[in-house]
Amino acid sequence: MKLAVVGGGSTYTPELIDGFARLRDTLPIEELVLVDPAADRLELVGGLARRIFAKQGHPGVIRTTSDVDAGVADADAVLLQLRVGGQAARNQDETWPLECGCVGQETTGAGGLAKALRTVPVVLDIAERVRRANPNAWIIDFTNPVGIVTRALLQAGHKAVGLCNVAIGFQRKFAKLLDVTPSQVHLDHVGLNHLTWELGVRLGGPDGENVLPRLLAEHGDAVAEDLHMPREIVDRLGVVPSYYLRYYYQHDAVVRELRTKPSRAAQVAEMERELLTMYGDPALDEKPALLAKRGGAFYSEAAVDLAASLLGGGGSPYQVVNTYNNGTLPFLPDDAVIEVQAAVDGKGARPLPVAPLNPLYAGLIANVTAYEDLALEAALRGGRDRVFKALLAHPLVGQYEYAEQLTDQLIAHNREHLAWA
């Protein structure tokens, strides 16, 4: 089995490598290719990756290349984890929206739209190269904004599934609080990427006992603290919103908070400098503790599980993924991309049935889906007016004056990445 990781020079990658090494019985990789245009980073990350495999006795071969076509040739699956523009572009996404009093964040709001516009054309180009090299290869997208990127891939006819680590993070945390194994925890996870709620926490599978009320009663403080939200919000909802819902439920408070501290991109950039220095140490043969602060917790386990199921191996029968709606949420079009529990195997991902949603959740999902329609149109066809309409539709912007200002700011800060600009 051959896997390729596009964006393999990311400081995330040792987390992925560690999972591949530990879970090699689930996903028996014979060849792993790390693909990245940044040759200096790729050399450091590749060296550590080989040492991790060697220490854990993994027999697979790890290669590195800056040539996408060579890297994806004959791959059974290709993982996408790229960041167009790097942390510098992310820093812009997180700062200029604040000038208009809007949240600055790299996956939602105006910053998220900027990232989508930079990313979608690049991902589609890579996907076409994968299709030419091996039309049967699966594409697993971890590149944000995952929902929009996955929809672009699916609409272009690619064999693609989107992946996020939010759900597996909740699964692991809830399992610890309930003192059970993670495999016993099944989430009623519903929504769009970075716009989800845990409506139930079931033990044993989709039909198991819902222990969410007990979880919140006994561990509500811990859950709320992890979300960076007041417990009152969680108690009144009676469900667990993702961390990203704080940008909607506490928008103005978050804007005030973001204005008083360095951007997350600035913090991550400093971590990356430290991590790359560590990766260059020939004595280092395991992922360093600092990597846990970088983000992407449990990404490797989720990626291994999904790849194993898609490639006919021993992955879990049910996984939270991003895929076509196909009637699962009846108030959305079939070709909307949703993030829910799905049955996953070699044929792809098929969402499990979802009970009718409370309008409190369905309304926001429908609103953001409409924004994602417009965002994808802007990413594929370009043009100031399309950018403006996407921003005007986003619930974190929504005002004419703000949308006008943010459109000009977005184009000015991203001109080098937008062919039409």
Side-chain angles (χ1 to χ4, degrees):
M1 180 185 299
K2 175 181 175 180
L3 264 66
V5 180
V6 179
S10 168
T11 53
Y12 269 137
T13 299
E15 162 69 25
L16 192 60
I17 299 299
D18 178 72
F20 287 159
R22 288 185 291 102
L23 302 172
R24 56 185 174 273
D25 291 338
T26 302
L27 189 68
I29 299 171
E30 296 169 295
E31 182 181 0
L32 177 64
V33 184
L34 306 181
V35 185
D36 203 293
D40 52 344
R41 293 169 62 106
L42 190 58
E43 181 181 355
L44 295 173
V45 173
L48 175 57
R50 294 185 185 97
R51 295 193 297 273
I52 291 173
F53 263 30
K55 180 179 181 179
Q56 300 197 32
H58 194 297
V61 174
I62 296 178
R63 296 193 297 109
T64 59
T65 181
S66 296
D67 186 333
V68 174
D69 293 317
V72 303
D74 300 320
D76 298 289
V78 178
L79 278 68
L80 304 180
Q81 56 172 37
L82 56 147
R83 182 184 296 280
V84 179
Q87 294 299 331
R90 176 182 181 176
N91 186 64
Q92 292 181 350
D93 296 343
E94 294 176 342
T95 51
W96 53 262
L98 295 173
E99 298 173 17
C100 294
C102 296
V103 160
Q105 213 280 330
E106 67 155 346
T107 64
T108 191
L113 177 60
K115 193 173 196 303
L117 297 182
R118 293 193 304 269
T119 304
V120 166
V122 175
V123 165
L124 289 178
D125 175 69
I126 293 169
E128 285 300 328
R129 294 167 183 264
V130 173
R131 179 151 53 192
R132 288 197 299 268
N134 180 8
N136 293 316
W138 281 102
I139 296 176
I140 298 173
D141 179 63
F142 192 67
T143 297
N144 282 318
V146 168
I148 295 173
V149 173
T150 301
R151 187 169 181 179
L153 289 165
L154 290 172
Q155 287 188 350
H158 298 290
K159 294 177 61 176
V161 180
L163 180 65
C164 181
N165 68 319
V166 167
I168 195 171
F170 275 135
Q171 182 199 44
R172 297 300 198 265
K173 291 166 187 173
F174 294 165
K176 186 175 182 180
L177 292 173
L178 295 166
D179 194 26
V180 297
T181 63
S183 62
Q184 293 177 270
V185 175
H186 179 94
L187 301 176
D188 291 344
H189 179 102
V190 180
L192 311 177
N193 181 242
H194 289 185
L195 191 88
T196 53
W197 297 262
E198 309 308 326
L199 303 183
V201 177
R202 302 183 182 277
L203 296 183
D207 299 319
E209 177 191 3
N210 182 14
V211 297
L212 179 58
R214 173 162 66 89
L215 177 72
L216 293 180
E218 296 177 0
H219 305 286
D221 287 342
V223 171
E225 182 180 2
D226 187 59
L227 298 172
H228 299 278
M229 292 184 191
R231 179 169 178 176
E232 179 184 5
I233 293 178
V234 179
D235 285 343
R236 293 192 69 176
L237 292 175
V239 303
V240 180
S242 81
Y243 168 87
Y244 292 90
L245 265 298
R246 70 190 297 259
Y247 298 120
Y248 297 82
Y249 293 160
Q250 298 178 278
H251 177 274
D252 292 353
V254 171
V255 168
R256 290 193 295 270
E257 173 191 319
L258 293 175
R259 283 172 163 170
T260 64
K261 63 181 185 180
S263 69
R264 174 63 178 166
Q267 297 172 28
V268 170
E270 178 56 36
M271 281 185 224
E272 288 197 332
R273 284 189 285 270
E274 293 183 50
L275 286 168
L276 289 171
T277 298
M278 293 178 181
Y279 295 172
D281 180 357
L284 183 68
D285 56 8
E286 60 186 11
K287 63 177 183 179
L290 178 62
L291 189 55
K293 298 180 180 180
R294 169 66 179 81
F298 308 113
Y299 162 41
S300 61
E301 283 93 337
V304 167
D305 210 14
L306 179 54
S309 293
L310 293 174
L311 298 175
S316 303
Y318 305 118
Q319 299 170 42
V320 173
V321 297
N322 286 260
T323 191
Y324 271 152
N325 176 46
N326 283 336
T328 307
L329 301 181
F331 55 90
L332 296 183
D334 286 347
D335 66 350
V337 165
I338 60 175
E339 185 173 291
V340 293
Q341 286 278 5
V344 184
D345 57 24
K347 297 179 181 179
R350 297 169 301 284
L352 300 184
V354 173
L357 288 186
N358 186 305
L360 180 62
Y361 314 123
L364 188 52
I365 290 171
N367 189 340
V368 176
T369 297
Y371 151 75
E372 291 190 348
D373 289 345
L374 295 167
L376 182 54
E377 183 75 2
L380 294 174
R381 300 180 63 192
R384 186 187 187 282
D385 192 54
R386 293 187 182 91
V387 174
F388 167 78
K389 288 177 179 177
L391 288 168
L392 190 62
H394 202 298
L396 295 182
V397 180
Q399 296 186 53
Y400 178 88
E401 181 181 352
Y402 289 170
E404 278 282 283
Q405 294 177 36
L406 290 168
T407 297
D408 290 336
Q409 290 267 47
L410 185 155
I411 294 172
H413 285 287
N414 290 276
R415 198 174 300 277
E416 66 179 296
H417 300 292
L418 306 177
W420 52 267

